Amino acid sequence: MTSQTRPRAAVILAAGQGTRMKSPLPKVLHPVAHRAMLDHAIDAAEGLGCERIVVVVGNHSPEVRAHVVKRLGEAAIAVQDPPLGTGHAVKTALPHLSAEGRTLVLYGDVPLIDTATLETLLEAAGDEVGLLTDVPNDPTGLGRIIRDSQGSVTAIVEEKDADAAQKAVREINTGILVLPNAKLKNWLNSL
């Protein structure tokens, strides 16, 4: 990977409450292949050579915070309190990010993401916004990627807000993206 495509930072979102897990163990700490899901996301960021890894945690989960501190140190923590959505979670990491370079946004509950896929995303994005999408057999319940006639993304429409034509689209948003830091602060402050 060239220095141009290497992200300056990775922000890993791990502040969700994981209520659907029906477990006292925080979702991102559930083991996959004998390791916490969160560790797989951290491994992917480290595999890219990120200069900075920030994990967004919630006050409701001291176990997640302790896990991150043990692995990356206290400086890797950004606290989202109260939880006000994905954009707000990334915004809590802003004080940890440089004004230059790019930031890769990952999720602590996506353990199967690999470095090769992320490298492809970074290469394709160049210095622009890059969005990782997928085309599952059944996109039910997922945000749809809406493109114009030139193939550019014009919208991401959540299923609950989608009309019949949009629901017929199979390309979905994974939520994994890369953003230029020079624009990130202004974008997040406009949310």
Side-chain angles (χ1 to χ4, degrees), residues 24-129:
L25 184 66
K27 175 170 60 171
V28 298
L29 297 183
H30 275 265
V32 172
H34 308 289
R35 299 183 65 224
M37 282 195 267
L38 179 57
D39 285 326
H40 294 282
I42 293 170
D43 290 347
E46 288 177 338
L48 289 170
C50 290
E51 296 171 13
R52 183 88 166 121
I53 299 172
V54 180
V55 181
V56 179
V57 302
N59 271 340
H60 61 276
S61 186
E63 302 94 342
V64 174
R65 182 185 187 113
H67 186 88
V68 173
V69 169
K70 183 176 180 181
R71 171 106 191 241
L72 298 173
E74 188 70 35
I77 297 288
V79 179
Q80 183 187 25
D81 184 40
L84 299 175
T86 304
H88 179 258
V90 176
K91 188 175 180 179
T92 65
L94 277 177
H96 301 272
L97 303 177
S98 168
E100 300 173 357
R102 299 185 301 161
T103 294
L104 181 67
V105 178
L106 300 172
Y107 294 81
D109 62 353
V110 181
L112 300 180
I113 191 67
D114 62 32
T115 302
T117 299
L118 296 174
E119 285 175 346
T120 300
L121 171 64
L122 292 165
E123 291 286 341
D127 291 327
E128 301 298 322
V129 173

Side-chain angles (χ1 to χ4, degrees), residues 164-177:
Q166 293 165 331
K167 286 181 182 178
V169 172
R170 288 187 37 232
E171 185 179 18
I172 58 98
N173 175 28
T174 67
I176 296 171
L177 57 131

Side-chain angles (χ1 to χ4, degrees), residues 145-156 169 171:
I145 300 295
I146 307 302
R147 294 181 181 269
D148 64 18
S149 60
Q150 285 76 44
S152 296
V153 175
T154 60
I156 301 169
V169 172
E171 185 179 18

